[in-house]
Amino acid sequence: MRSRIFTKLLLVSLLVIAAATAVMDVAITRAWKRSLHQEIETALSQKVRLLATRVESDPSPQLQQIARQAAADAQARVTVIDRNGNVLADSEADPATMDNHASRPEFAAALAGRQGMAVRTSATVGVDFLYIAVPLRHGAVRLAHPLSAIQQATARVRRTLLWSSGLALVVALLLSAIAAQSLAKRLRRIEEFAVRVAGGDLSARIAERSSDEIGKLGSALDTTANRLQQSFQEIQTARQQLETVLNSMQEGVIAVSADRRVRWANGLMGRLTPGGVKLGAPLVETIRDPDFLYAIEEALTTGVARTARATSILAGRSYYITATPMPGSGAVAVLHDVTEIERVEKTRRDFIANVSHELRTPLTSIQGYAETLLDSTRNGTEREFLEIIRKNATRMSRLTEDLLTLARVESGEASFSLQPVTPADLLHDAEQNFREICKTRGLELLVEAESTRPVSADRDAIHQVLANLLDNAVKYGASGGKIIVGARDAGNAVEFYVRDFGAGIASEHLSRLFERFYRVDKARSVESGGTGLGLAIAKHIVRAHGGSVRAESTLGRGATFVFTLPLAT
């Protein structure tokens, strides 16, 4: 790391020094050249004016000597011409052999009466010269100064600049080495910290005390590691608590990833599967029950909780499965062992069915003998007692019939012949049977058949459902004056309803109305001769058809009983 940081710092220093050197070279060279040029131009202008004064004051025969002496004093070449451009004197050449100079820019300006200046390469010596000429009464005089001095001075400046840059580079190397060693040491601690954290050691710390950017970074990383350690400890504690809770459950729990592999299972789940739970393996290698696999697949695919009943996970055991999608991905399934519940429920149903069946014959006999005695008895007290016996025998007969019906529906022994039938036909049958009953009670029976789509139903069974609901409406909603029975569309089903306008039902009773033997007003129910099983029978018949049932009511505004039936396919 040290060599990499040193190399980078050195390269940065080199780039900075090179850029500074280039900028200084361009800027200083130009400024230096401009300054020297201006100094030479000023000095040469003064000298050429002094020379012009001297030439005009001396006689002509001495022009050549004056030119050589002035050239030595000014360290420049001197040339004197007449008005026609002919060279009269020159400090470095024979005037007789020289060309006419009238066309030279500086002489042309001087002959025109003003100072002339030009810079060009001399054809004689091949060096750049600065030419300045001023006018005379009978011509012009010119000084020519070589510009090689400017180039020499510029070269000296450049050499000095290069030496300075070299010295700066040496200093930069030393500073880079020192800075690299310091930075490498601090960054090495950060690197070691990152490696330890990546390896799972959240107790690692940098302990950087500096207040610069690296120090702030180290402090921030230490704070982050501390929070991560606390969060990880909290997660570990929560996970251990959750595992303890799940392992102590009496239900099997298994979690599945989105690719249908086992992610986790509690202890009971491992004991339920003959081969044990294989974490990370496909779910089908652990559990092969098709109903269980279907529930998991539906939960993963649709993202909605699914339920199922499985009987082949463990021989002789039945399980109720609830598969729920997990946030992010995957699903979790909970297996409830319902073997004992189903056994007890079956025993209860069998007991009720057997008892009800056995009671039918003696109750029929009691009812028949009571009616015979009533026909042959004239004593008022005896007739009263016999009438009580007959009524209770009749009520018990109805109760046994309802219990048998409910037991058959709950156990699935009752078979339903599902056929397409229109809602209007079902409502018409119910209306025909209850028209006279409602009339004798002073009730108006109205039919609202809004839906015309046929439903899949057993006509006799649904007739019993409507009869039970209408019987309740007649008994408990007579004070409302009318009853409405109807049907309306509800998506992929048809919703049937029976509405009365009686006293209504309190909200705390609505959730229990469809329980067997549940009565809102027990005294009134016994007086009306009800068995308390009508709504329970209706509920199970509707559920056997694939529908649902509910009750809606507000005190003082009557009650509405609603059930749905699926559309015929």
Side-chain angles (χ1 to χ4, degrees), residues 348 406 410 465-466 468-470 472 496-498 505 507-520 531-543 547-553 559-564:
R348 183 189 61 80
L406 182 59
E410 284 184 329
V465 172
L466 287 170
N468 287 349
L469 297 180
L470 282 169
N472 270 2
F496 293 82
Y497 56 90
V498 176
I505 305 170
S507 59
E508 63 266 20
H509 299 295
L510 294 178
S511 61
R512 301 190 61 189
L513 284 178
F514 296 94
E515 296 178 8
R516 57 176 66 88
F517 299 115
Y518 185 81
R519 295 183 176 90
V520 176
T531 63
L533 295 174
L535 293 181
I537 293 172
K539 178 186 72 173
H540 286 285
I541 291 176
V542 170
R543 286 186 175 178
S548 61
V549 62
R550 70 181 187 275
E552 303 168 353
S553 179
T560 303
F561 289 84
V562 183
F563 67 92
T564 60

Side-chain angles (χ1 to χ4, degrees), residues 373-374 376-388:
L373 289 173
L374 277 172
S376 61
T377 302
R378 296 289 181 267
N379 187 290
T381 303
E382 292 179 358
R383 289 186 62 82
E384 182 181 353
F385 290 157
L386 289 171
E387 184 64 28
I388 292 173

Side-chain angles (χ1 to χ4, degrees), residues 123-258:
T124 306
V125 296
V127 178
D128 289 342
F129 278 83
L130 172 63
Y131 297 97
I132 295 180
V134 294
L136 299 174
R137 286 194 300 271
H138 304 290
V141 61
R142 181 188 71 180
L143 286 180
H145 189 279
L147 296 180
S148 58
I150 296 177
Q151 296 174 354
Q152 292 173 358
T154 302
R156 288 195 300 271
V157 170
R158 282 182 173 174
R159 284 195 297 271
T160 303
L161 185 60
L162 289 176
W163 277 107
S164 300
S165 299
L167 180 60
L169 178 60
V170 173
V171 174
L173 288 174
L174 294 176
L175 294 177
S176 298
I178 296 172
Q181 184 177 8
S182 176
L183 286 176
K185 185 178 179 180
R186 298 171 69 186
L187 292 177
R188 194 177 299 114
R189 289 204 303 268
I190 297 178
E191 181 183 10
E192 292 172 356
F193 163 82
V195 171
R196 291 176 61 186
V197 171
D201 182 9
L202 297 181
S203 63
R205 297 294 183 270
I206 301 174
E208 180 67 44
R209 296 180 178 83
S210 176
S211 60
D212 60 4
E213 287 78 1
I214 296 180
K216 293 179 180 179
L217 174 62
S219 299
L221 290 175
D222 284 345
T223 302
T224 303
N226 186 45
R227 291 181 179 176
L228 282 175
Q229 187 178 21
Q230 293 177 357
S231 300
F232 186 74
Q233 289 174 350
E234 292 174 358
I235 292 172
Q236 286 289 93
T237 302
R239 181 177 180 180
Q240 291 172 359
Q241 292 174 350
L242 179 61
E243 288 186 357
T244 302
V245 171
L246 292 176
N247 285 323
S248 64
M249 289 177 60
Q250 299 302 313
E251 291 82 14
V253 181
I254 186 169
V256 183
S257 62

